[in-house]
Amino acid sequence: MLSGVDVVHVRTVLGDCADQLAVLGKIMPGSYEGRVDADEMVQDEISQLVDGQKQLENKFEQLMSRKQDLRGGKRSSLQKLVDTDRDIQNVGADLKNSTHVFGRSLKQSPLTSDNIGKIQEDRAFLERVVVHTLSDVTHTGHFDPLVDAVRSEKERKARLQETILKEEEGRKRVKLLQKRLVDVKKEKEQEIQERNEMIAHLKDQLQEMKAKTNMEGKYIKKCADVTVAQTQKKCILGERKMKTETEALRHKVDDETRVNTEIESFLRTHQKILEHKLEYWSERYETDVENKQLELKVLEDAEKKDLARIAELKKLYEEYEQVVVEDRIEKEKTRRKAQQEDIELKAAVKIQSWFRGVMVRRGLGPYGKKKKKGKKGKKSGKKKKK
């Protein structure tokens, strides 16, 4: 609980803060776009972000160097090493959040109406907290609403960070599942292709078997006819037998030729289908490779532009900083020179005053006694002799 004097002081500060926030809410415009000093405001904000980022990086490097120094130490430095690791984790988290905020700030202009609206909401929230805290300090001497507001805001930010982490994990998992789905799809397509080839092979064998069966049936039937003819006309059909056998062999050759032609036609057709498939997949592969290379080039160009922009802003910031330092040095020299001239003037005045006083007291120079002329001068000379 605060004392009476502290309560008065806190009430004064909180009241002043609430009044300033209320006035700021009334005078703040809906958007800064189109103003003359808009670019300067953006540059100031980017400079602040860059300074914060540099401070966190320097702190992280100091902690890492300190950790390297502690590793070679004695057992007594184990506790310090543990504390340093904990500090490194905290600074790393802060650096990650700062990098995220810096990237988001570079992508989005802080002068749009959405950002101004967010600022107005934050200002209204802070004004409410200050007003509640002022009321509680006035009546009870405590500032519990301020503590509760800070605690709730930390919890909200923690929940938001947890949601962001869950979303990132979900995206990674979706990407992994998509990759697995593509692999499974490729495997199934390969398996389907192999089965289609097997089906085509089995169809070829079936056609061959059918042709062979038909040929065997015809041959057996003709052999039976020939045997019956030979039994009936054994003596008179010898020559006809030879002709029949020749005709049978000619039919067999024709059948073999037809089967061979059909097989060749089927193989050519299948070969053309496979060539079309090969050409299609080759073109698709080249198209996908060109698209991915184009996307990679676009991303690289964007990264180069961002790096060039950051370097340019950094150089501009260093130039401004150099100008400010030189201006301060010049002002300091001017001030010291004026101070030195003032001191010398005062010293000269003091010396002149002292010298005039000495001349007046001793009657020197224009301040000496004037001598009388004629007799008066002689009488005065005699009196001095007596």
Side-chain angles (χ1 to χ4, degrees):
M1 184 173 180
L2 299 174
S3 62
V5 178
D6 293 336
V7 167
V8 174
H9 292 169
V10 172
R11 284 176 56 190
T12 303
V13 174
L14 292 178
D16 188 14
C17 182
D19 294 338
Q20 290 181 3
L21 289 173
V23 172
L24 183 62
K26 298 295 183 180
I27 66 175
M28 183 177 290
S31 176
Y32 284 97
E33 294 180 347
R35 292 184 53 172
V36 179
D37 56 347
D39 295 336
E40 185 177 356
M41 294 174 65
V42 174
Q43 291 177 1
D44 293 338
E45 183 172 352
I46 292 175
S47 299
Q48 293 178 2
L49 292 174
V50 171
D51 292 338
Q53 190 78 7
K54 284 183 178 180
Q55 291 177 1
L56 289 174
E57 291 177 356
N58 293 331
K59 188 175 180 181
F60 186 78
E61 291 177 357
Q62 292 176 0
L63 291 174
M64 290 300 294
S65 61
R66 182 181 178 186
K67 182 178 179 181
Q68 293 294 332
D69 296 336
L70 292 175
R71 281 184 178 177
K74 300 180 180 178
R75 294 182 178 178
S76 60
S77 61
L78 290 177
Q79 185 63 32
K80 294 181 179 179
L81 184 61
V82 172
D83 296 337
T84 304
D85 290 335
R86 185 170 59 253
D87 294 338
I88 289 173
Q89 292 178 358
N90 295 330
V91 174
D94 294 338
L95 186 60
K96 183 178 179 181
N97 294 330
S98 177
T99 304
H100 179 68
V101 172
F102 182 72
R104 186 177 60 188
S105 300
L106 290 178
K107 292 179 181 179
Q108 185 177 8
S109 176
L111 305 179
T112 59
S113 58
D114 295 337
N115 288 330
I116 299 300
K118 180 63 171 60
I119 293 172
Q120 286 285 15
E121 292 177 1
D122 294 340
R123 183 204 59 75
F125 171 73
L126 181 59
E127 184 178 359
R128 289 195 299 271
V129 172
V130 170
V131 171
H132 291 327
T133 305
L134 178 60
S135 178
D136 198 16
V137 168
T138 303
H139 292 91
T140 62
H142 296 281
F143 44 89
D144 294 334
L146 181 60
V147 178
D148 295 337
V150 173
R151 187 184 299 111
S152 63
E153 189 68 16
K154 287 183 178 179
E155 292 176 356
R156 186 182 68 82
K157 288 185 178 179
R159 290 195 298 270
L160 180 60
Q161 188 69 22
E162 185 178 358
T163 304
I164 292 172
L165 293 175
K166 287 182 180 179
E167 183 180 356
E168 291 179 355
E169 292 177 358
R171 288 180 180 176
K172 291 180 181 177
R173 189 174 180 183
V174 168
K175 289 182 180 179
L176 180 61
L177 292 176
Q178 289 177 351
K179 186 178 180 181
R180 291 181 180 176
L181 181 61
V182 171
D183 296 337
V184 172
K185 186 177 179 181
K186 290 181 179 178
E187 292 177 359
K188 294 300 180 182
E189 289 178 353
Q190 185 69 23
E191 185 177 354
I192 290 171
Q193 185 177 0
E194 292 176 356
R195 290 185 178 182
N196 290 332
E197 292 177 357
M198 181 61 69
I199 291 170
H201 180 66
L202 292 176
K203 285 183 179 179
D204 293 340
Q205 289 183 353
L206 180 61
Q207 292 293 333
E208 291 178 359
M209 292 296 294
K210 286 182 178 180
K212 187 176 180 182
T213 303
N214 291 331
M215 288 172 60
E216 288 178 354
K218 290 180 180 181
Y219 180 74
I220 291 171
K221 183 179 180 181
K222 288 181 180 182
C223 286
D225 292 340
V226 171
T227 302
V228 172
Q230 285 178 352
T231 304
Q232 292 178 355
K233 299 178 181 181
K234 186 174 181 182
C235 296
I236 60 175
L237 298 177
E239 186 178 357
R240 188 178 294 178
K241 179 181 178 181
M242 295 301 294
K243 291 181 180 180
T244 304
E245 290 178 357
T246 304
E247 186 178 358
L249 291 173
R250 188 179 292 111
H251 283 300
K252 186 176 181 180
V253 170
D254 293 337
D255 292 336
E256 289 291 339
T257 304
R258 181 178 56 81
V259 170
N260 187 25
T261 304
E262 291 179 355
I263 292 173
E264 287 180 357
S265 176
F266 174 77
L267 291 176
R268 288 193 184 95
T269 305
H270 191 64
Q271 182 180 5
K272 290 181 180 179
I273 293 172
L274 293 177
E275 289 177 354
H276 287 306
K277 288 184 178 180
L278 178 60
E279 183 178 359
Y280 168 73
W281 285 110
S282 299
E283 292 177 355
R284 184 173 178 180
Y285 170 75
E286 293 175 357
T287 304
D288 293 341
V289 169
E290 289 178 358
N291 292 332
K292 294 299 179 182
Q293 288 179 353
L294 182 61
E295 292 177 0
L296 179 61
K297 185 176 180 181
V298 170
L299 293 175
E300 289 177 353
D301 294 338
E303 183 182 4
K304 290 179 180 178
K305 290 181 180 178
D306 293 338
L307 292 175
R309 177 63 178 168
I310 292 173
E312 182 180 357
L313 292 174
K314 184 177 179 182
K315 183 178 180 181
L316 184 61
Y317 170 75
E318 292 177 353
E319 292 177 358
Y320 285 169
E321 187 178 9
Q322 183 67 26
V323 170
V324 170
V325 171
E326 292 177 357
D327 184 64
R328 289 179 178 173
I329 294 173
E330 187 66 25
K331 288 182 178 179
E332 182 65 21
K333 289 181 179 180
T334 305
R335 186 186 64 79
R336 290 183 178 180
K337 183 177 179 180
Q339 186 178 5
Q340 183 67 28
E341 291 177 355
D342 192 17
I343 293 172
E344 291 177 357
L345 180 61
K346 290 180 180 180
V349 171
K350 288 182 179 180
I351 293 172
Q352 289 178 359
S353 300
W354 173 79
F355 187 71
R356 287 195 187 97
V358 171
M359 291 179 69
V360 171
R361 287 192 297 271
R362 296 186 179 182
L364 300 175
Y367 303 99
K369 293 181 181 181
K370 297 181 180 180
K371 297 181 179 181
K372 295 181 180 180
K373 297 180 180 180
K375 297 180 178 180
K376 292 182 179 180
K378 293 181 179 180
K379 289 182 179 180
S380 61
K382 291 180 179 179
K383 287 179 180 180
K384 286 179 180 180
K385 288 180 179 181
K386 287 180 180 181

